Amino acid sequence: MDTNGGGAWQQADVVVVGAGLSGLVSAAEAYNAGRTVLILDQEPEASLGGQAHWSFGGLFLVDSPEQRHLGVKDSAELAMSDWMGSAAFDRPEDLWPRRWAEAYVNFAAGEKRAWLHALGVKFFPLVQWAERGGYDAAGHGNSVPRFHVVWGTGPGIVAPFLSKLEEGVAAGRVQYAFRHRATELMFDAGTVTGVLGEVLADSEAARGVASSREVVGGFSVQAGAVIVTTGGIGGNHAMVREQWPNGTGPGYMLTGVPASVDGEFQQAVARAGGALINTDRMWHYPEGIHNTDPVWPNHGIRILSGPSPLWLDGDGRRLPVPLFPGFDSLGTLRHLETTGHDHSWFVLNKTIIGKEFALSGSEQNPDLTGKDVKLLAKRALPGAPGPVQNFLDHGIDFLQAATAQELAAKMNALVGVDLIDPAELHETLLARDRQVDSGLGKDTQLNAIREARRFATDKLMRVVPPHPLLAPEHGPLIAVRLTTLTRKSLGGLTTDLSARVLDAAGNPIPGLYAAGEAAGFGGGGMHGYRSLEGTFLGGCLFSGRIAGRCAASDAGA
């Protein structure tokens, strides 16, 4: 048995477990500080960058030049109020999550953008407005648009850290060890001194594709400091169900992350004494659809919708205020759990889908990912963007019909049960259209649409003017079946503001750090119960930066 796994170093100043974004940032920072760095990952090299590669590349920034150019008035104080209203911290163990939240908002309002700009990261100038809330001023939601899309999406945010680590590899101070699955920590007199694990069989699996778990050897590596950046649990439905608050979750779910996002090493750290908290806080999306070209098992994509589609439960009833598209993901998910069905529906028309539908992920946005200005300009043309049209033409969740009655029949046929009454669906749409025709009206969703169009980005590219859904010139009608899509853990390993993992008594475990989703993006859950969006990649950047710098200092002490 080759205890070094075919060439991995036997020791390094800093060992990083996990080659996703937070791991790459941690490793780059430790290398910048002059340390030798070994990066372990259970997947083949093709999956370098982890979930970040697949992301839409949205980052939460506060009072940015992009916001100010669009007339958005933001501040650290307003952002902190929004964050705390959304997080709703209410547990004794929220001490460190709250401190991380405060530090992160200040980072997003401070040096975050300048730091990224210095690394070559640029932003699409039209800031997006995610998680709008719709409750009172102290409740959940972004008061203003803060979702800044990276020019190049997920690969664009990963690139500068990969480049820095390539420099480290060339200098002989950074090494990757792919197909090395960490299974436990090594200790000496209470201090973490390294990592033990299994060497997995070589794999030619493409990025994101499930790889073999055949064990061909073992390894051990000594370290001055270990940083855990192994991500969350979204690819492990059994663990998701085990941690689901007050139940086991929907009977059927799609998967929004590769199968390798299994949470296993996070659990190993917990068994070794790391305090794992807030595991029942998770962030899954109710707007999932089956991917027409799946990469991993049960691969789902999230619809990023403007506010105009009607959101109906499985029985065809409109969701309560303010559960409109893009307003409160978790609130919608919790409501849908009470309906007795594993699916819900968007009902819209051709005019709405042409402007208001986008799909989350780098592969579904080739214009932004490829930095293709000519392709991006086509979004201003009539009709759905290419990736959306592909789902409209080929997606199993997409239905079209000339009338509400015909649409209801197709919706019932798709789910195999006559849940939606055709006459009632027609009346639901007609009642909504009467409110449009009034010119004023009492429909809260229509008023929210009118309000959204006061913001330049929404008026230009995200929100169509209110119009009758049933008007033939805006047809055909479209229904989209939606399914819960697993995505992020909001809880994680407890860390102090130096990213040191704490034990149950609140004491740092010497030599052990955590960052990214494994640490609840900092502190064991800096988002609390709800995310403001753009804060997952940002949380990986922030916590990874801190972990890499502090671990490097520790390893050099």
Side-chain angles (χ1 to χ4, degrees):
M1 179 181 293
D2 185 352
T3 58
N4 293 321
W9 293 343
Q10 289 183 295
Q11 66 179 54
D13 294 332
V14 176
V15 170
V16 178
V17 186
L21 179 59
S22 60
L24 298 179
V25 175
S26 297
E29 291 291 340
Y31 162 69
N32 274 336
R35 305 289 169 249
T36 57
V37 182
L38 174 63
I39 306 165
L40 306 173
D41 199 275
Q42 66 183 356
E43 295 307 300
E45 185 175 359
S47 287
L48 183 62
Q51 296 175 63
H53 172 88
W54 300 99
S55 77
F56 190 38
L59 291 177
F60 177 92
L61 293 174
V62 178
D63 192 26
S64 69
E66 289 81 9
Q67 286 174 298
R68 294 194 295 271
H69 181 73
L70 293 168
V72 175
K73 298 178 181 179
D74 200 7
S75 68
E77 293 77 17
L78 181 60
M80 193 72 73
S81 175
D82 288 348
W83 191 290
M84 293 304 173
S86 299
F89 294 121
D90 62 357
R91 298 172 177 173
E93 56 265 40
D94 284 333
L95 171 66
W96 286 108
R98 182 186 292 270
R99 291 177 179 175
W100 270 89
E102 293 168 348
Y104 178 70
V105 171
N106 287 327
F107 176 65
E111 64 176 309
K112 180 180 179 181
R113 184 181 180 280
W115 174 60
L116 290 172
H117 249 247
L119 293 172
V121 176
K122 301 295 188 289
F123 298 99
F124 182 58
L126 297 179
V127 183
Q128 308 290 306
W129 197 347
E131 287 296 303
R132 302 178 190 220
Y135 303 96
D136 62 32
H140 168 64
N142 283 296
S143 298
V144 297
R146 299 189 175 106
F147 192 82
H148 296 65
V149 178
V150 170
W151 188 230
T153 67
I157 197 67
V158 171
F161 303 101
L162 287 177
S163 178
K164 175 56 65 174
L165 291 170
E166 288 173 6
E167 174 191 307
V169 170
R173 299 212 327 266
V174 173
Q175 187 180 48
Y176 292 99
F178 299 105
R179 306 298 286 158
H180 282 58
R181 179 170 61 187
T183 57
E184 60 183 298
L185 297 166
M186 297 164 56
F187 284 86
D188 183 8
T191 296
V192 171
T193 58
V195 177
L196 292 169
E198 300 167 336
V199 180
L200 304 179
D202 288 343
S203 173
E204 298 299 320
R207 180 182 294 278
V209 174
S211 61
S212 166
R213 289 295 177 262
E214 179 188 355
V215 177
V216 297
F219 74 90
S220 65
V221 57
Q222 299 281 336
V226 173
I227 307 176
V228 179
T229 60
T230 48
I233 66 172
N236 185 339
H237 280 207
M239 195 173 291
V240 168
R241 294 186 184 284
E242 179 183 333
Q243 297 182 11
W244 196 278
N246 304 316
T248 59
Y252 178 73
M253 297 185 290
L254 295 172
T255 307
V257 295
S260 58
V261 186
D262 57 22
E264 295 293 347
F265 193 65
Q266 185 191 57
Q267 295 292 324
V269 175
R271 291 192 294 271
L276 181 59
I277 62 173
N278 296 322
T279 57
D280 61 328
R281 294 178 181 167
M282 294 179 277
W283 191 254
H284 306 307
Y285 291 112
E287 313 103 319
I289 53 175
H290 295 79
N291 198 343
T292 57
D293 186 19
V295 176
W296 53 79
N298 215 29
H299 187 173
I301 295 292
R302 183 197 177 200
I303 294 174
L304 299 171
S305 176
S308 296
L310 291 189
W311 203 332
L312 310 180
D313 67 18
D315 292 311
R317 297 182 295 256
R318 285 183 72 175
L319 302 194
V321 174
L323 304 184
F324 314 132
F327 278 65
D328 181 2
S329 295
L330 184 64
T332 302
L333 187 63
R334 293 290 175 259
H335 172 78
L336 291 173
E337 284 187 89
T338 70
T339 66
H341 302 295
D342 292 341
H343 69 279
S344 62
W345 298 94
F346 279 162
V347 173
L348 59 156
N349 59 27
K350 184 177 181 180
T351 294
I352 293 173
I353 203 170
K355 192 168 187 177
E356 297 203 13
F357 262 31
L359 301 169
S360 182
S362 56
E363 80 279 22
Q364 301 298 334
N365 293 275
D367 47 1
L368 291 165
T369 302
K371 303 180 182 180
D372 189 329
V373 176
K374 290 183 179 179
L375 186 59
L376 180 64
K378 291 184 179 180
R379 293 200 184 209
L381 300 176
V388 175
Q389 187 64 49
N390 173 62
F391 275 83
L392 187 59
D393 293 339
H394 305 293
I396 63 172
D397 300 300
F398 286 69
L399 305 170
Q400 301 181 64
T403 69
Q405 292 87 343
E406 293 174 13
L407 191 66
K410 290 186 176 183
M411 294 162 76
N412 289 332
L414 182 61
V415 301
V417 185
D418 289 342
L419 297 174
I420 297 177
D421 182 275
E424 289 183 6
L425 179 60
H426 176 79
E427 183 56 38
T428 296
L429 302 188
L430 185 60
R432 181 261 187 203
D433 286 356
R434 291 191 188 106
Q435 296 292 303
V436 175
D437 293 339
S438 76
L440 294 171
K442 61 185 179 182
D443 189 294
T444 304
Q445 184 173 3
L446 288 173
N447 291 332
I449 293 167
R450 295 184 183 107
E451 184 68 14
R453 285 179 54 81
R454 293 177 55 210
F455 173 51
T457 298
D458 281 347
K459 186 172 184 178
L460 178 65
M461 61 176 291
R462 287 292 286 161
V463 184
V464 300
H467 63 274
L469 286 173
L470 293 170
E473 63 269 25
H474 293 287
L477 289 171
I478 299 167
V480 184
R481 181 180 58 180
L482 308 173
T483 304
T484 298
L485 178 73
T486 65
R487 186 59 63 86
K488 295 296 182 183
S489 312
L490 297 187
L493 297 165
T494 311
T495 57
D496 64 13
L497 289 178
S498 295
R500 298 180 298 180
V501 175
L502 307 181
D503 63 19
N507 300 311
I509 299 175
L512 184 61
Y513 297 78
E517 196 173 351
F521 303 93
M526 72 174 187
H527 297 91
Y529 287 95
R530 281 175 164 91
S531 165
L532 288 176
E533 291 288 25
T535 57
F536 298 142
L537 289 178
C540 289
L541 294 169
F542 184 54
S543 61
R545 191 173 89 143
I546 290 173
R549 292 178 179 184
C550 292
S553 178
D554 185 14

